[in-house]
C-alpha cells in the first residue's frame, strides 16, 4: 500500500528501536498471542521498551506447540505497530470514493455520522439493508466476533463466513463428524508425515518444527502440492499435482491399499460406515486412471501408496490449499479417508489433523449476542460481496439491497473474489460505508467514515489455536497511539448511539473474556493470566476417535451426508445434489480450455499474511514484485522470456504482471503468490480480478486456486 500522503497525521509517533537482543536486561518481557489469521496462533514473548513501545517479538520457548519459533514477519512486529502510516484519528471522506482525501473529525462526530448513515439505510429498506462485514484480521474472540452482538441486537443482515474455511472444514467433518483430530504435536512421532495442500514454511511455520523432529527420528516427509514451494523443498517425496485433482490421488492410493493388503479390515469393520462399498468403488480408480487426472506418473502414485501402506504411523496434516477448488470439500474428505482405510488413527503419530475448532466448546453468547439472534434475518455470503453490492437478486437472497456497510478486520477491495464486481459495488453512490482499520487500506479508501483501530498489543483479548490445542491470553501491553480504539470500544459506542441494547455492550473486554472462560468451562481470566495459556488437548482415545467417530452411528463416513452442513438462513448450492456419494474426482473445477489453457493458483506469499504486512517495508522488499510462475516450456512456446511483462485474463477480467520461469510445477499451471494490493499492479487490477465468486458446494466458499486463464506476452 502506498503511504496515505493526503491523510492528515497530526500525532507523530516514534519508530521503535530496531531490535533488542533478548535477555539483555533492558526490556520487560510480556506474554501474548499472535492475533493474525494463521493456524499457528503462536505464544509470544514481547520486549516492552516503554509504555508505548515494543522491541523484538519472539516465540514463547515453553509453549509445547510454538516451541520458541515464530515467522519472520511477526518477529519484526515493531515495524507494523510503530508504522508511520497507522491511522490515528477518525476521518471523514471529503474527496471521491477511492481517493485519499479525508478530513480528521472528533470521535463524537464520527459516531454520530455512522449512526445517521446506518439509520438512513434502515429507514430506506429495513434493518437488513445494513450489513456488518468482518473477518479475521484479528483472531481474538472479543475483537473479531463482537460485531455479531451489534448485528443481532439491530437485526442487521447476517454473514455466512465462507471466504476461508468452509470447504476445508466441511470436507474434514464429512468423514470424522467433528472438526478435531490427532494431537498435532504427534507429527513429531510419525513415521510418514504427509503435508497435503498447505505450505507451512510460508503459512504456519510451526508445523515445520514438528516435521523436523519427525525427520530427525528417521520419519519420511511427503508433500502434496501444486508447486515446489518452500515446504516441498524439504520433502523426501514431493507429489506435484494438477490443481483440484487430489480426490483422484486419494482414490488411487486407497485402490492400492486395498489391492495390496494394506487396508486394516478389522478397523474398517469396527469404525467405518461402508468399507465394502468403498473397496468396490475404488477398484476402478487405478493409479493409471489417477495419473491421467493428476498429471503424476503412475510410479509416484504407487510409491506414495506403498509408503502409506507400509507405515501404520502415517500422519496426514491436511491444509486449506487443496480445498480452494470447486471440488475442494470432496477432495478434503477423500484425503481424510486414507487414514481410516489403513487404521492409522489407532496409533500415536498416526491419523489425520486439519483444525481443532471443536475442542474449545465456547459459549459465545455474551460476545456474539446469540440470545438475541433472530433466525428469520437473512444471512449473506461473505465471499459473494461483489454480487451482493452489485444488487444481484440471488446474492441478496430476495431481500433488500445493502445500503450500509460496517467493516472491521478485513480488506475486501483486495482479498474478495471477482473484484470487478466488488469494486463496482463499493463505488455505488447510494452505499454508506464505515471502515474501522489500522491503515488506510484500499477498502478504507472507499469509506465515508474511517476509524482508527488498536493493534493486539494495545487491547485485551482471548485466542484459540486452530492448528494446535491452546487457549491463550493476549493482554494489553502498550498504550495505543493517537486516538485508536479497539473493536470492542467501537461496537459498544456505536450500539449506544444506535440505541441497541445488550448486557455485553456494558462489559469491558476483560469482563467478556472472564465471562466467556467461566461459561465455557475454562476457569477464569485470572487463572488464564497466571498460566498464560491452557493446553486443551483431549485425551488420546478421544482425539484418535478410539471410542468411535463423532457421527451419530460412531463411524467414520466414507459416504457422507453432505446436506448436513446448511447453516441457518442459507440456501445450499444447486450442486449439492451432484456431489459424488463416495470419494472421487469430481470434475466441476474450471478445467483449462483451448481459449484459456492454463490453471491458475493464487497461493500465499511468505512475507504477507493475506492483505496484512503489505504495508510493512521489509515484507514489501522481500516479496519484490508480483510474478507469475510459469513452466519454462510453456513460456518458450508462448515466446515469454523470464521477467517479461504478461497479461493474464479470463471471462472475469485481466491484469498485468511479470513472468517468472519456474520448472517446479506441471505444464499448464501458473502460480501467482499473493495477495498483493491492486495498486502494486499496472492498471490497478490485482489477482482477484481473475477469481470467481460463485458459491461452491456444498454451502459456499471461494475457489481461489481454481481458475482457468489465458496468458499473453506484452512488450
Ligand atoms: N487470491 C487470493 N485471495 C485470497 C486468498 C488467497 O489465497 N488467494 N486467501 C483468502 C483467505 S484464506 C482469507 S482468510 C482472506 C483474508 O483477507 P483479509 O480479511 O483482508 O485478511 P487480513 O489481512 O488477515 O486482515 C484484514 C485487515 O484487518 C485489519 N485488522 C487487524 N486487526 C484489527 C483489529 O483489531 N481491528 C480492526 N478494526 N482491524 C484490524 C488489518 O489491518 C487488515 O487490513 O483473503 C482471501 N483472499
Ligand atoms: N505467509 C502467509 N501466511 C499465511 C497466509 C498468507 O497469506 N501468507 N494466510 C493465512 C490464512 S488466512 C490461511 S487460511 C492459511 C492458509 O494456509 P494453507 O493451509 O497453507 O493453505 P493455502 O495457503 O491456501 O495453500 C497452501 C498450498 O496449497 C497449494 N494448492 C493449491 N491448490 C492445490 C490443490 O488443488 N491440491 C494441492 N495438493 N495443493 C494445492 C498451494 O500451491 C499452496 O502451496 O495461511 C495463513 N498464513
Ligand atoms: S507463524 Fe502465524 S501465528 Fe505464528 S507469529 Fe507468524 S503469523 Fe503469527
Ligand atoms: Mo484464511
Amino acid at each position: 500500500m502506498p503511504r496515505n500522503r493526503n491523510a492528515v497525521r497530526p500525532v507523530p509517533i516514534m519508530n521503535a528501536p530496531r531490535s533488542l537482543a533478548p535477555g539483555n536486561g533492558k526490556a520487560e518481557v510480556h506474554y501474548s498471542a499472535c492475533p493474525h489469521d494463521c493456524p499457528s496462533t503462536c505464544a509470544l514473548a514481547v520486549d516492552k521498551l516503554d509504555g508505548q513501545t515494543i522491541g523484538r517479538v519472539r516465540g514463547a520457548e515453553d509453549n509445547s506447540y510454538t516451541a520458541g519459533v515464530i515467522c519472520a514477519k511477526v518477529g519484526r512486529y515493531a515495524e507494523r505497530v510503530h508504522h508511520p502510516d497507522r491511522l490515528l484519528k477518525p476521518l471523514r471522506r471529503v474527496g471521491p470514493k477511492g481517493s485519499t482525501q479525508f478530513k480528521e473529525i472528533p470521535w463524537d462526530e464520527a459516531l454520530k455520522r455512522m449512526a445517521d448513515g446506518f439509520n438512513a439505510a434502515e429507514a430506506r429498506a429495513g434493518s437488513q439493508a445494513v450489513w456488518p462485514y468482518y473477518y479475521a484480521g484479528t483472531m481474538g474472540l472479543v475483537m473479531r466476533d463482537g460485531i455479531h452482538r451489534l448485528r443481532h441486537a439491530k437485526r442487521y443482515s447476517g454473514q455466512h463466513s465462507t471466504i476461508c474455511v468452509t470447504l476445508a472444514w466441511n470436507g474434514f467433518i464429512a468423514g470424522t463428524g467433528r472438526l478435531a483430530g490427532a494431537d498435532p504435536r504427534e507429527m513429531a512421532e510419525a513415521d510418514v508425515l504427509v503435508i497435503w495442500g498447505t505450505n507451512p514454511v510460508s503459512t504456519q511455520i510451526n508445523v515445520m518444527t514438528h516435521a523436523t523432529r519427525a525427520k530427525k527420528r528417521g520419519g519420511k516427509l511427503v508433500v502434496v502440492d501444486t508447486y515446489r514451494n518452500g515446504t516441498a523443498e524439504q520433502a523426501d517425496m514431493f507429489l506435484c499435482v494438477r490443481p483440484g485433482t487430489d480426490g483422484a490421488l486419494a482414490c488411487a492410493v486407497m485402490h492400492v491399499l486395498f489391492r495390496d493388503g494394506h487396508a486394516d479390515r478389522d478397523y474398517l469393520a469396527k469404525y467405518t460406515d461402508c468399507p465394502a462399498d468403498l473397496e468396490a468403488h475404488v477398484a476402478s480408480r487405478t493409479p493409471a486412471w489417477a495419473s491421467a487426472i493428476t498429471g503424476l506418473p503412475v510410479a509416484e502414485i504407487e510409491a506414495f501408496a506403498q509408503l502409506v501402506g507400509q507405515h501404520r504411523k502415517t500422519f496426514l496434516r491436511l491444509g486449506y490449499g487443496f480445498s480452494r477448488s470447486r471440488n475442494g470439500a470432496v477432495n478434503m474428505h477423500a484425503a481424510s479417508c486414507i487414514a481410516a482405510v489403513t487404521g492409522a488413527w489407532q496409533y500415536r503419530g498416526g491419523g489425520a489433523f486439519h483444525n481443532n475448532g471443536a475442542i474449545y466448546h465456547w459459549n459465545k453468547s455474551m460476545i456474539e449476542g446469540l440470545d438475541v439472534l433472530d433466525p428469520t434475518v437473512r444471512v449473506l455470503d461473505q465471499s459473494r460481496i461483489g454480487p451482493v453490492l452489485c444488487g444481484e437478486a440471488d446474492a441478496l437472497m430476495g431481500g433488500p439491497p445493502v445500503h450500509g456497510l460496517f467493516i472491521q478486520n478485513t480488506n475486501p477491495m483486495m482479498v474478495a473474489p471477482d473484484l470487478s464486481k466488488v469494486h463496482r459495488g463499493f463505488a455505488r453512490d447510494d452505499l454508506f460505508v464505515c471502515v474501522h482499520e489500522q491503515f488506510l487500506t484500499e477498502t478504507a479508501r472507499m469509506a465515508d467514515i474511517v476509524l482508527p483501530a488498536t493493534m493486539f498489543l494495545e487491547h485485551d483479548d482471548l485466542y484459540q489455536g486452530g492448528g494446535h490445542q491452546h487457549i491463550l491470553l493476549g493482554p494489553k501491553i502498550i498504550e495505543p497511539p493517537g486516538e485508536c480504539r479497539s473493536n470492542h470500544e467501537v461496537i459498544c459506542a456505536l450500539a449506544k448511539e444506535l440505541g441497541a441494547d445488550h448486557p455485553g455492550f456494558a462489559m469491558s473486554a476483560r469482563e467478556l473474556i472472564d465471562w466467556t472462560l467461566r461459561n465455557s468451562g475454562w476457569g477464569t481470566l485470572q487463572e488464564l493470566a497466571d498460566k498464560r495459556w491452557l493446553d486443551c488437548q483431549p485425551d488420546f482415545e478421544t482425539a484418535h476417535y478410539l471410542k468411535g467417530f463423532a457421527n451419530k452411528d460412531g463411524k467414520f463416513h466414507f459416504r457422507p451426508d453432505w446436506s448436513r452442513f446448511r447453516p441457518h438462513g442459507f440456501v445450499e448450492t444447486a450442486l449439492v445434489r451432484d456431489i459424488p456419494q463416495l470419494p472421487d474426482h469430481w470434475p466441476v473445477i474450471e478445467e483449462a480450455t483451448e481459449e484459456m489453457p492454463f490453471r491458475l493458483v493464487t497461493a500465499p506469499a511468505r512475507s504477507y499474511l493475506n492483505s496484512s504486512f503489505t504495508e510493512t517495508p521489509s515484507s514489501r522488499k522481500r516479496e519484490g514484485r508480483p510474478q507469475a510462475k510459469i513452466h519454462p516450456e510453456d513460456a518458450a512456446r508462448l515466446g515469454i522470456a523470464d521477467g517479461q511483462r504478461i497479461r493474464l485474463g479470463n471471462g472475469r477480467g485481466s491484469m498485468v504482471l511479470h513472468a517468472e520461469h519456474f520448472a517446479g510445477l506441471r505444464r499448464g499451471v501458473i502460480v501467482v503468490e499473493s495477495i498483493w494490493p491492486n495498486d502494486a499492479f499496472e492498471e490497478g487490477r490485482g489477482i482477484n480480478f481473475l477469481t470467481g465468486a460463485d458459491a461452491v458446494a456444498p454451502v459456499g466458499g471461494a475457489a481461489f486456486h481454481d481458475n482457468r486463464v489465458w496468458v499473453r506476452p506484452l512488450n
Side-chain angles (χ1 to χ4, degrees):
M1 188 179 65
R3 295 168 60 117
N4 46 347
R5 286 178 207 89
N6 301 332
V8 200
R9 265 185 270 112
V11 189
I13 49 165
M14 282 181 11
N15 269 324
R18 291 206 150 260
S19 78
L20 199 73
N24 68 359
K26 276 193 193 154
E28 270 173 39
V29 178
H30 289 250
Y31 289 91
S32 185
C34 179
H36 284 286
D37 190 358
C38 169
S40 276
T41 315
C42 291
L44 303 179
V46 181
D47 287 339
K48 175 176 174 177
L49 304 186
D50 62 39
Q52 286 81 41
T53 323
I54 63 152
R56 195 73 196 158
V57 176
R58 297 177 304 281
E61 301 277 352
D62 53 342
N63 180 283
S64 57
Y65 188 76
T66 303
V69 178
I70 59 168
C71 64
K73 58 193 179 301
V74 171
R76 301 187 296 265
Y77 214 78
E79 186 189 17
R80 188 162 193 273
V81 86
H82 303 305
H83 197 298
D85 291 349
R86 279 233 10 220
L87 290 168
L88 301 172
K89 294 218 167 194
L91 304 172
R92 176 167 74 85
R93 190 166 50 78
V94 292
K97 289 194 179 194
S99 76
T100 50
Q101 295 165 36
F102 287 91
K103 179 177 174 297
E104 286 177 6
I105 53 172
W107 267 102
D108 285 356
E109 182 187 338
L111 290 164
K112 171 94 180 39
R113 283 179 184 273
M114 280 166 74
D116 289 349
F118 295 138
N119 285 335
E122 186 170 345
R124 204 164 160 172
S127 65
Q128 297 184 66
V130 180
W131 195 20
Y133 190 85
Y134 82 112
Y135 205 53
T138 173
M139 293 279 275
L141 270 55
V142 174
M143 301 300 166
R144 184 189 62 192
D145 301 332
I147 195 169
H148 292 302
R149 197 175 340 113
L150 181 68
R151 182 198 311 281
H152 299 326
K154 288 292 299 174
R155 301 181 75 257
Y156 290 156
S157 279
Q159 173 176 316
H160 179 32
S161 299
T162 53
I163 206 162
C164 177
V165 299
T166 303
L167 289 160
W169 287 12
N170 290 347
F172 192 87
I173 296 167
T176 59
R178 175 175 150 97
L179 186 64
D183 185 337
R185 292 168 296 200
E186 285 177 35
M187 289 187 287
E189 296 173 55
D191 291 334
V192 176
L193 172 58
V194 184
I195 295 186
W196 196 330
T198 174
N199 179 14
V201 163
S202 291
T203 62
Q204 43 171 334
I205 187 66
N206 306 81
V207 167
M208 297 314 290
T209 303
H210 302 276
T212 305
R213 289 177 182 168
K215 282 187 80 167
K216 281 202 182 123
R217 284 184 31 259
K220 291 274 176 274
L221 175 61
V222 182
V223 169
V224 187
D225 207 285
T226 52
Y227 75 116
R228 186 176 289 280
N229 56 28
T231 308
E233 294 282 355
Q234 299 198 23
D236 298 294
M237 182 186 282
F238 170 46
L239 299 161
C240 187
V241 291
R242 285 199 194 108
T245 64
D246 305 85
L249 174 60
C251 286
V253 167
M254 292 190 276
H255 169 98
V256 175
L257 294 172
F258 282 112
R259 184 195 70 193
D260 293 358
H262 298 307
D264 182 336
R265 292 181 185 282
D266 293 339
Y267 181 86
L268 283 166
K270 186 167 172 201
Y271 286 102
T272 68
D273 62 341
C274 57
D277 293 355
L278 179 73
E279 182 170 3
H281 168 75
V282 297
S284 60
R285 270 62 179 174
T286 62
W289 167 83
S291 169
I293 297 168
T294 59
L296 292 169
V298 169
E300 286 186 18
I301 300 173
E302 289 278 358
F304 175 39
Q306 294 304 337
L307 197 64
V308 170
Q310 286 161 13
H311 296 90
R312 299 288 96 165
K313 287 164 73 169
T314 290
F315 193 113
L316 303 174
R317 180 61 182 82
L318 306 172
Y320 289 99
F322 72 104
S323 71
R324 303 205 194 289
S325 289
R326 285 170 180 76
N327 56 6
V330 171
N331 290 346
M332 171 63 97
H333 171 249
S336 77
C337 289
I338 293 172
V341 171
T342 63
W345 281 108
Q346 298 161 100
Y347 309 96
R348 191 171 296 281
F353 180 82
H354 171 54
N355 183 291
N356 252 340
I359 70 170
Y360 301 104
H361 47 76
W362 292 116
N363 178 342
K364 289 198 186 175
S365 61
M366 191 59 79
I367 290 180
E368 298 192 359
L370 297 176
D371 51 328
V372 293
L373 185 157
D374 175 352
T376 65
V377 172
R378 71 171 169 191
V379 179
L380 299 174
D381 185 343
Q382 169 193 31
S383 300
R384 309 206 71 217
I385 182 169
V388 165
L389 294 185
C390 287
E392 292 181 19
D394 63 329
L396 290 168
M397 304 179 66
V402 168
H403 289 294
L405 267 181
F406 172 49
I407 301 181
Q408 287 185 320
N409 317 330
T410 186
N411 187 1
M413 283 282 290
M414 199 174 130
V415 305
D418 204 353
L419 278 188
S420 62
K421 285 187 184 167
V422 178
H423 286 211
R424 220 183 321 134
F426 266 98
R428 267 172 46 201
D429 282 336
D430 61 342
L431 178 68
F432 174 78
V433 179
C434 170
V435 175
H436 186 197
E437 248 300 343
Q438 297 163 340
F439 294 96
L440 195 67
T441 59
E442 298 190 57
T443 304
R445 275 180 253 161
M446 301 307 284
D448 298 280
I449 301 290
V450 178
L451 305 172
T454 45
M455 287 193 184
F456 75 108
L457 299 164
E458 300 156 0
H459 57 235
D460 295 297
D461 215 335
L462 177 65
Y463 302 86
Q464 73 177 59
H468 53 91
Q469 57 286 95
H470 293 89
I471 290 173
L472 306 96
L473 185 66
K476 176 173 172 177
I477 296 174
I478 53 172
E479 287 303 319
E483 297 179 15
C484 293
R485 292 192 187 173
S486 72
N487 290 5
H488 178 61
E489 290 171 293
V490 169
I491 296 286
C492 296
L494 186 57
K496 196 169 166 202
E497 201 70 37
L498 290 163
D501 198 28
H502 191 275
F505 296 131
M507 292 166 78
S508 68
R510 293 183 77 84
E511 286 167 344
L512 278 174
I513 294 170
D514 189 59
W515 190 99
T516 304
L517 287 167
R518 284 175 195 271
N519 287 279
S520 307
W522 295 119
T524 64
L525 169 61
Q526 191 56 51
E527 284 163 30
L528 178 59
D530 293 343
K531 292 182 183 146
R532 292 185 284 152
W533 53 72
L534 307 175
D535 184 340
C536 309
Q537 179 60 40
D539 62 54
F540 177 81
E541 287 206 318
T542 307
H544 285 253
Y545 298 109
L546 298 185
K547 295 176 262 187
F549 283 87
N551 294 305
K552 279 199 197 89
D553 58 2
K555 310 273 185 169
F556 182 93
H557 286 185
F558 293 127
R559 182 184 276 120
D561 171 14
W562 290 104
S563 67
R564 67 184 282 179
F565 296 110
R566 189 184 327 189
H568 88 86
F570 189 78
V571 185
E572 66 196 3
T573 71
L575 279 170
V576 81
R577 315 185 269 283
D578 305 330
I579 295 187
Q581 294 210 345
L582 290 163
D584 214 336
H585 172 63
W586 190 27
V588 291
I589 49 176
E590 276 195 5
E591 278 295 3
T593 60
E594 216 168 296
E595 301 76 48
M596 290 181 256
F598 288 89
R599 300 262 299 131
L600 168 70
V601 171
T602 62
R606 186 175 308 182
S607 308
Y608 299 150
L609 199 149
N610 307 324
S611 59
S612 300
F613 298 91
T614 55
E615 70 285 326
T616 54
S618 66
S619 287
R620 268 316 252 266
K621 192 158 162 232
R622 268 158 228 253
E623 291 301 325
R625 65 180 181 188
Q627 301 207 120
K629 293 183 200 296
I630 180 168
H631 197 283
E633 288 167 24
D634 285 332
R637 191 171 50 81
L638 294 168
I640 295 171
D642 191 27
Q644 185 169 342
R645 281 169 68 240
I646 55 171
R647 184 177 288 280
L648 296 186
N650 60 20
R652 293 181 279 265
S654 79
M655 36 86 66
V656 176
L657 75 175
H658 290 84
E660 177 195 350
H661 288 190
F662 183 78
L665 39 63
R666 296 254 158 239
R667 292 202 50 186
V669 176
I670 289 179
V671 175
V672 177
E673 292 184 337
S674 304
I675 313 169
W676 288 85
N678 294 290
D679 57 19
F681 297 81
E682 280 179 43
E683 304 172 346
R685 285 203 297 271
I687 200 70
N688 279 323
F689 276 81
L690 304 180
T691 57
D694 46 310
V696 175
V699 286
F704 284 114
H705 305 333
D706 179 6
N707 317 281
R708 64 166 82 96
V709 293
W710 48 255
V711 185
R712 288 178 201 146
L714 299 173
N715 292 321

